[in-house]
Structures are given as C-alpha cells and as structure tokens.
Amino acid sequence: MSAALISRSPDLRRLDEEGFELEIRAGFLLVHAVPYVKRDGTLARGVLVCPLTLDPSGETTVAPADHTVFFAGETPCHRDGSPLVSIINNSDHRDLGNEVQVDHYFSSKPEGTGRYESFYDKIVAYEGHLGRPARSHDATANARTGRKVVTTEDSGPFQYPDTASARYGVGAVSGKLALGRVAIIGLGGTGSYELDLVAKTPVREIHLYDDDQFLNHNVFRAPGAPESASMKGFPTKVGHFASIYSRMHRGIVPHPVRVTATNVDELAGFDFVFVCVDSGSARRAIAEGLHRLSVPFIDTGIGVGLDADKNELDGCARVTFVPPGCDWSVVERLLPFGDDDEDGEDDVYNKGIQIADLNALNATLAVLRWKRWAGFYRDARGEANSAYMVEGNMLSNRGS
C-alpha cells in the first residue's frame, strides 16, 4: 500500500524522489529522519506525522485537510536551545494506534490562503521549520537522506487506508475492535445494517450466515441501492452483501446456510456474534449453543404493528447482550423464545413488518452495545437489555 500510494500521488512521489524517508501506516504519512535541535543544543532526528486525505477511490492524495502535523521526538528548539514556540501548539505524548506515537502537535499556517496545497508543500515547510536551526549547526543536516523505509505491504482488514481514524486521532481506541472473528447470523434488515457498521471497524474476519435469497422486498430494508441487474440471478443474501462489502473490508466470509442446533458448534472460538433472526425456536437454538460455547453475543428484534383504525404503525426495537458465563435463567428471562405460531406477549416480534429506519436503529443500538463491551465507548452501567419504543420516542435500559 505504501509504495503504490506514493507512486500514484504526485506530491508523495515528489517527496520520495527528493529523498525524504516516507512511510504510510494506518492512514498516516510518516516522514522519518527529520533533523532538529534539542534543548541541550545537540542535533537529533524525529518523525513528522500527518493524517492523509485521499480521493474517493483511496488511490491518490488530495490537498491536506488542515495546516497541522504531529511530531515524534524531543522538544525541537532554535540554535540556542529555546523551544520553537512559534510552531509548537502543545506537547503531549499520544498513541495514535498501530504503533504510531507522537510527542508534539505543530501548527503553522502558510502565508496567503492559510492552507497547504499539497503534502509536498506541507512537509517541506515543516522540515524547514525544524531543519533550519539544525543546519545552522551542521550544514549537512537534511531530511532528504535518500534512504527507503523498509515496510511490508498493508495486510490489515481494509482494502484502503483508514484515513478517518487517523484524521480524528482515534486509531488507538479503534484497535480495541480488532477482534479475530465476528459473525452476523441473519442478513435481513437489521443484520445487513450491522454489517454496514461492523465493516468499518478493524475486525479481521466477518462471517455472514443466512440461507435466504436477496429478493426485491429485501432492497427496501437494507443499506445501499443495488443495481437491478445484480438481482436477476437470485443471489443469496450473504453472497450479495459479501460482494459489496469486500470492496472495503477483507476477510468477509459468506456462509449460505441456516444456523441451527446441528451446526451452531461451528461458531466455537468466535470472538463475538450478532443474532438477527425472527423465529423464537431459531433464537433459542442459537442462544443455547452460543451460551454453551461461552461466545458473547447480542440478540436483536423489532416488532411493528398496524393500528388499522388509525392507520398508524407502532412498535419497538430490542437489543439484548449476553456475556460469557451469564446464567441461563437470565438468558431465558431476557430473550423472547415464544412459539412462532402462538399469540402471546412475544408475538410482537413475529408480526413480520419490517421498516428500514427501525432496522437501521436496531442495528445501530446493537453495534453501540458491542463497542461499549469492547471498550471503544465508555460503559459504566453495562445494561443487558435495551428497548426503543416508537410511541414517545423512548429508550429504556435494564440490567440482567
């Protein structure tokens, strides 16, 4: 990824051709061996770190998002050892993720527009701020060393750099989501929206389980807008969504099968599972298996009913989190296992009405709960069950 992006981007290629030591890692441009003066007046070399901005294809750079950069090294100084306060915005050690750690945050706007037109202009300017004091000591001190940084091609889960995490400085916290294997059981409305969100995280593998075909009515409760031609072959849901999201995320594995009591053991060793089924008996079989295998999971469900007199819809969206070691009696109390053909208090989950916005909300609540479990978001309460009620726009939570 580093070599390809550098070769395709005129500004990076120019930096490379002039001899700057470039590396691209986790959505950042790293420029190594930049000379600077330390407080004691001696010379050292540090690393300029800048979030990349790419075109929509992810194949070439566009103008930098702002005028700032990070720096890894000691406090850079003038020739006399006084800090370069004109460019140092703050000094605070930060972990940006993927072993990118920095110590300072620089801010220096170019004259005129206040924005750098390219990464070449930006890097040359900051190298000048640091290098000029260094060259007053040693005229040969220059970041243009001509050496190449030895890197391996990006083997992460994404097909192109995650510049969003780099841009907002959340790479380290995003790393908490870098689980090995996550499964989504059921690629209907809620499950497909869950995939849309999980595919934007650094999970290594995302396994999709569903034996149904992707039909016309599914289009109206799923993310995106598929071409009609892609549906003429009656693709499976897992095949359809795997083909789309594999454009962004590696390691998406479709399983065109229904998960039952006979094959649920295939999920042994998974790090997390999302369950999106609309059958009480199927939910029970999957929950019993995952509970026995000590695999943490989230079960979701929506229930929508039509008031024929008022010609209005009402309903709810539920998210239930089951951690490993949870007593089975608690699981039975939280999850609706009612008979699929029997009217009762669980019947709201079996009406069959699906609405895209409720599917999307249900998926979002599920992914938010997963991220709190993983430590991505703060979680002081650890709720086991959440229910969103359409009437009143209310969200209620309760523990186990």
Side-chain angles (χ1 to χ4, degrees), residues 319-342:
V319 171
T320 304
F321 170 56
V322 180
C326 180
D327 190 88
W328 179 249
S329 63
V330 174
V331 182
E332 287 189 303
R333 186 170 68 251
L334 292 175
L335 293 182
F337 292 146
D339 292 339
D340 301 330
D341 298 324
E342 177 181 300

Side-chain angles (χ1 to χ4, degrees), residues 188-190 217-218 220-221 277-279 300-308 311-318 346-360 362 390:
T190 300
H217 69 279
N218 300 126
F220 292 89
R221 59 185 184 99
V277 298
D278 54 10
S279 160
T300 60
I302 68 171
V304 180
L306 174 64
D307 185 328
N311 197 28
E312 294 176 338
L313 296 175
D314 193 12
C316 62
R318 173 191 54 81
D346 294 330
D347 188 57
V348 67
Y349 294 105
N350 301 316
K351 294 296 186 183
I353 298 176
Q354 299 282 309
I355 306 297
D357 43 58
L358 280 178
N359 284 131
N362 203 194
V390 171

